Amino acid sequence: MAKNRTGRVGEQIKKELSVLIQSELKDPRIGFVTVTGVDVTSDLSQAKVYLSVFGDEEKKNESLKAIEKATGFLRTEIGKRIRLRHTPELIFKIDESIAYGSRIEKILGEITHEHEE
């Protein structure tokens, strides 16, 4: 039962953070950011937020720094929008799975291309 709740809270945090980052944050360092996932601990004290940032490594780092600087604002807004007794601490991480998947796709494409020749 608790696992269901953490999943629901994680999905709600993901939805609210996506809206907040896109519409409320005005920092020019934040590029095209997508919230790909949220893992919430079972006691709802921490939430690891996985972000996918479009751009090179420098752009990813700049966006991550800007979002980490706005963590207090984001946590306050989530607390207002989601009715929880305690709002989880937000920990932001860059999600490399999309880049990893596209790299594998490219390698597989090269292998099939070589195999056809």
Side-chain angles (χ1 to χ4, degrees), residues 3-58:
K3 201 164 192 98
N4 272 347
R5 182 161 189 241
T6 57
R8 286 194 319 260
V9 169
E11 282 300 311
Q12 193 64 34
I13 289 173
K14 177 181 169 184
K15 196 184 317 178
E16 296 297 337
L17 273 177
S18 296
V19 171
L20 284 169
I21 290 172
Q22 295 299 324
S23 61
E24 300 291 324
L25 293 183
K26 303 295 185 211
D27 196 321
R29 296 178 292 176
I30 298 173
F32 187 74
V33 176
T34 305
V35 179
T36 58
V38 176
D39 288 338
V40 182
T41 57
S42 59
D43 62 351
L44 302 177
S45 64
Q46 291 183 333
K48 286 185 185 170
V49 181
Y50 295 97
L51 303 172
S52 175
V53 181
F54 184 73
D56 59 352
E57 205 61 38
E58 182 183 337

Side-chain angles (χ1 to χ4, degrees), residues 62-79:
E62 286 290 316
S63 294
L64 186 63
K65 282 181 188 175
I67 290 173
E68 284 175 345
K69 190 169 175 111
T71 300
F73 168 76
L74 293 172
R75 188 174 177 192
T76 303
E77 286 297 312
I78 285 176

